[in-house]
Amino acid sequence: MLPNDLQQAMQALLQSFQHLHRLSGSADAERSVDWLCAQLRTHQIPFKRERCRLWLSDPLEGSLIVQGSVPLTIPAKTRSFSAHCPEGIEAELYYDQRSLVFVPESEYESWANAVRGKLVVADQGYEDYVQRLMQAGAAGLIHIWGSVEPALHEETVSPIWGTPVPDDVLRYPTLPVISINHQEGKTLLQHMLHSPLQACIFTRLHEHVAECSLPIVELTGESEEFVLLSSHYDSWHEGVTDNATGNALCLAMALHFAHNSGPLKRGLRIAFWPGHSNARYGGSTWYADNYRAELMQHCVAHINVDSPGCVGGSEVVVNASGAESTFWLNQAITSVTGTTASRITPMGKGGDQSFWGLGIPLHFALREEPALRTSLSPGSGGGWWWHTEEDTLDKVDEAHLWRDVQIHQRWLETLLLSDTLPVDPTSYVCALRGALAQLQIELDPMFSVKPIDQMLQALEKALLLEHQPTDLKRVIGILHRVRYRASDDYHPDLSYHGGAFPGLQILRGHRSEQCSERFWLMLETQFIRQRDRACELFAASLDILKR
């Protein structure tokens, strides 16, 4: 298809999706899949419409009433997987000035006593903080958004990645969580300076299990290997830049490679995920669970597409696993934009990155940022409208979207048509050593990561020799399991366990002199298990290279 045809197809999707509120489990979400599948049939693109049952939490309403001679009602939103408290929870307000700082175990009890039974006002609302408040017995959380836009953003406080298993259920929040905007938060804090205040939080949520569609385009190649390109089709409200633009880009890639590229050496699967928003990446996790063998044996790359083509998204950033050739990543960007990416950074926790335990060597995603950031919004190109009712068609920049399409097309052309993969395991191991050295600075000296570093040194030396591509693929997959996961390959880590070597990140900041004997024993055990896990997996990598 000609470029103009691809642009018209993308515009048709945006026009069709712009008035559909595509929260997973809703009629509008299924209507969007109906439309997408009709387009694929029209263009004779092979696909399957999978259906997966997901555990969903739909935030319906949140409110805050501050008691006084004249009660003050503050606009608020609740969070997906907050506790459902339609009758309201009333308690004294307490501002936690330490919500953004590390609290050592020796000071935990005094902090817990301060928040216990209170409606805590805080400058953050992340899942790990909600877990701490829950354990301390707080009555609820009022999160003040950190940047000045008046909009209220949707979010989740689920710590569970995808669908839970029975042991996970105790992790779900048992306290109500709401968010208010920055200005309302400043006003509330001013009121709290004068005298103790009582307030009431109301939250309404619909928690349910629903069958959700998961369409997968399947273009075959000469080999059984394939590339997985993905975008979530569910959205908060109209969600045009998060993520109808990503769906439009993926549709364009399906059209292009189905009709323009000739025979493919590798296949291309294009997944449209449900459950990104109100099931905490439930759709991609379901696919990882149910297609594990195929992904382990044949998938060579996962490229996630989230929020391309945004107004203000002038800067191109790449989030990458570290195993990719940065020269190759930049080659595609330079050929389109004339310059390299603003930066290439390691993958964080998010973006349907549900595949770390499957041995896939390449994982990367293009992100947009504004030249000057004015909002803390992590998506929609940094736009203030992210996860709000204002994420509408006027927030799309067609030039940026076409730029992003061309970059993805070039990346995919290499992956689908070249014999070799653009991997750089030597640089990856070097980066792992750097991350490990930085982590050591933040650990108690008793937690020496030297044995892990010695294994990485041996890997560096072994990688100086020539190796079979299949062996390098296996080795990189193992490295990812240590760099990006702390638990077994079948059960995703908690959503907030991130950073390099996440099983060791848990130990950061703790010092033996600030810990009780019992807590220090737990930390020691965590360290021993994670150190030995890393060393054993790296030893397995060495065995592969030495054969």
Side-chain angles (χ1 to χ4, degrees):
M1 299 180 78
L2 296 173
N4 187 55
D5 296 324
L6 298 181
Q7 290 171 318
Q8 288 180 5
M10 290 193 295
Q11 280 302 314
L13 184 146
L14 296 177
Q15 290 290 339
S16 296
F17 280 25
Q18 67 164 320
H19 297 307
L20 296 174
H21 292 240
R22 304 178 306 281
L23 196 62
S24 286
S26 70
D28 272 3
E30 293 303 309
R31 288 187 189 104
S32 70
V33 178
D34 292 341
W35 185 92
L36 177 62
C37 292
Q39 296 301 304
L40 297 173
R41 287 191 199 95
T42 297
H43 293 284
Q44 299 182 317
I45 297 174
F47 73 96
K48 293 192 300 188
R49 184 171 183 167
E50 298 277 8
R51 286 178 168 81
C52 55
R53 294 170 68 241
L54 300 178
W55 184 333
L56 308 169
S57 174
D58 307 340
L60 303 177
E61 184 181 8
S63 61
L64 169 63
I65 299 176
V66 181
Q67 310 294 348
S69 56
V70 180
L72 174 66
T73 300
I74 296 178
K77 282 184 176 178
T78 189
R79 296 294 192 227
S80 179
F81 288 103
S82 160
H84 173 64
C85 300
E87 304 302 320
I89 298 292
E90 184 174 342
E92 182 181 336
L93 293 173
Y94 172 78
Y95 177 49
D96 183 11
Q97 299 183 53
R98 305 185 70 182
S99 66
L100 292 171
V101 301
F102 175 77
V103 178
E105 201 247 349
S106 59
E107 299 174 23
Y108 173 80
E109 193 57 38
S110 63
W111 172 84
N113 287 334
V115 302
R116 188 170 295 122
K118 303 295 198 304
L119 292 178
V120 177
V121 181
D123 297 309
Q124 69 133 312
Y126 292 117
E127 310 92 277
D128 55 339
Y129 183 62
V130 174
Q131 293 288 298
R132 282 199 285 138
L133 290 176
M134 191 169 78
Q135 292 162 11
L141 170 62
I142 302 162
H143 169 213
I144 300 174
W145 187 255
S147 49
V148 299
E149 67 269 18
L152 289 169
H153 303 271
E154 310 285 355
E155 255 294 8
T156 182
V157 287
S158 169
I160 305 303
W161 195 284
T163 298
V165 296
D167 284 349
D168 293 329
V169 174
L170 294 176
R171 293 273 188 179
Y172 282 107
T174 55
L175 75 169
V177 180
I178 62 170
S179 178
I180 61 178
N181 72 29
H182 190 75
Q183 186 56 51
E184 297 284 6
K186 288 176 64 177
T187 301
L188 177 61
L189 292 176
Q190 284 297 318
H191 284 295
M192 292 173 64
L193 288 176
H194 303 301
S195 62
L197 291 175
Q198 293 283 121
C200 191
I201 289 179
F202 299 85
T203 58
R204 285 201 311 116
L205 297 97
H206 178 214
E207 195 168 294
H208 57 119
V209 172
E211 186 175 79
C212 303
S213 292
L214 195 169
I216 306 274
V217 170
E218 295 189 340
L219 305 181
T220 58
E222 295 172 359
S223 76
E224 290 186 294
E225 289 186 337
F226 65 88
V227 173
L228 177 62
L229 180 72
S230 74
S231 63
H232 70 89
Y233 72 84
D234 65 310
S235 67
W236 295 115
H237 311 291
E238 295 178 7
V240 177
T241 65
D242 189 7
N243 185 34
T245 50
N247 305 149
L249 187 154
C250 286
L251 176 60
M253 293 299 92
L255 293 167
H256 174 77
F257 286 101
H259 300 303
N260 282 31
S261 61
L264 304 177
K265 291 185 181 296
R266 297 184 181 90
L268 174 62
R269 294 189 188 182
I270 304 178
F272 297 85
W273 307 128
H276 171 97
S277 304
N278 59 338
R280 196 60 167 179
Y281 315 121
S284 55
T285 305
W286 180 92
Y287 194 71
D289 288 339
N290 287 272
Y291 285 85
R292 179 178 179 81
E294 290 182 28
L295 290 162
M296 287 187 69
Q297 294 167 20
H298 305 306
C299 187
V300 299
H302 174 221
I303 309 172
N304 183 248
V305 184
D306 202 337
S307 296
C310 299
V311 167
S314 58
E315 307 302 304
V316 173
V317 173
V318 180
N319 295 340
S321 72
E324 301 78 10
S325 161
T326 56
F327 173 79
W328 173 76
L329 288 171
N330 271 318
Q331 194 174 39
I333 296 168
T334 303
S335 69
V336 175
T337 67
T339 188
T340 60
S342 297
R343 66 181 187 279
I344 297 175
T345 62
M347 283 283 188
K349 293 285 283 192
D352 283 294
Q353 298 300 324
S354 303
F355 305 98
W356 293 116
L358 298 174
I360 301 169
L362 304 176
H363 302 250
F364 57 95
L366 180 148
R367 295 287 184 263
E368 296 182 347
E369 291 183 352
L372 179 64
R373 183 175 282 279
T374 59
S375 171
L376 291 178
S377 297
S380 295
W384 61 265
W385 57 85
W386 169 81
H387 283 196
T388 75
E389 295 86 344
E390 303 301 321
D391 186 4
T392 47
L393 191 61
D394 59 306
K395 308 306 189 302
V396 177
D397 185 310
E398 293 184 19
H400 288 165
L401 183 56
W402 185 241
R403 171 200 65 192
D404 299 343
V405 166
Q406 292 176 288
I407 292 169
H408 282 82
Q409 179 183 323
R410 284 161 172 75
W411 280 335
L412 286 168
E413 283 171 348
T414 300
L415 295 173
L416 299 176
L417 301 174
S418 297
D419 291 323
T420 57
L421 293 173
V423 296
D424 187 355
T426 302
S427 294
Y428 188 24
V429 171
C430 181
L432 288 175
R433 292 193 65 198
L436 192 66
Q438 180 59 44
L439 180 59
Q440 180 68 85
I441 295 170
E442 301 180 71
L443 299 182
D444 187 285
M446 294 180 68
F447 297 142
S448 172
V449 298
K450 186 175 180 180
I452 304 174
D453 186 60
Q454 290 173 335
M455 297 300 299
L456 287 171
Q457 287 183 61
L459 277 169
E460 271 187 321
K461 184 176 180 180
L463 285 167
L464 295 174
L465 304 174
E466 287 289 324
H467 298 283
Q468 292 294 320
T470 53
D471 290 339
L472 293 178
K473 176 178 179 289
R474 290 180 61 198
V475 166
I476 291 169
I478 294 173
L479 297 181
H480 288 335
R481 289 164 64 188
V482 182
R483 166 61 175 80
Y484 288 97
R485 294 195 77 155
S487 58
D488 65 71
D489 295 338
Y490 300 90
H491 192 272
D493 290 347
L494 295 173
S495 62
Y496 52 85
H497 285 170
F501 306 93
L504 296 171
Q505 291 282 338
I506 298 169
L507 308 172
R508 288 171 53 232
H510 293 290
R511 294 293 182 267
S512 58
E513 63 271 16
Q514 295 178 311
C515 296
S516 66
E517 188 175 21
R518 186 182 71 167
F519 188 67
W520 186 250
L521 177 61
M522 290 190 283
L523 296 179
E524 284 182 322
T525 304
Q526 175 76 13
F527 171 71
I528 291 167
R529 291 175 182 174
Q530 290 295 320
R531 178 199 63 198
D532 292 353
R533 175 179 178 269
C535 287
E536 288 170 16
L537 287 170
F538 289 156
S541 298
L542 273 173
D543 288 343
I544 292 169
L545 296 178
K546 289 177 177 178
R547 287 187 314 193

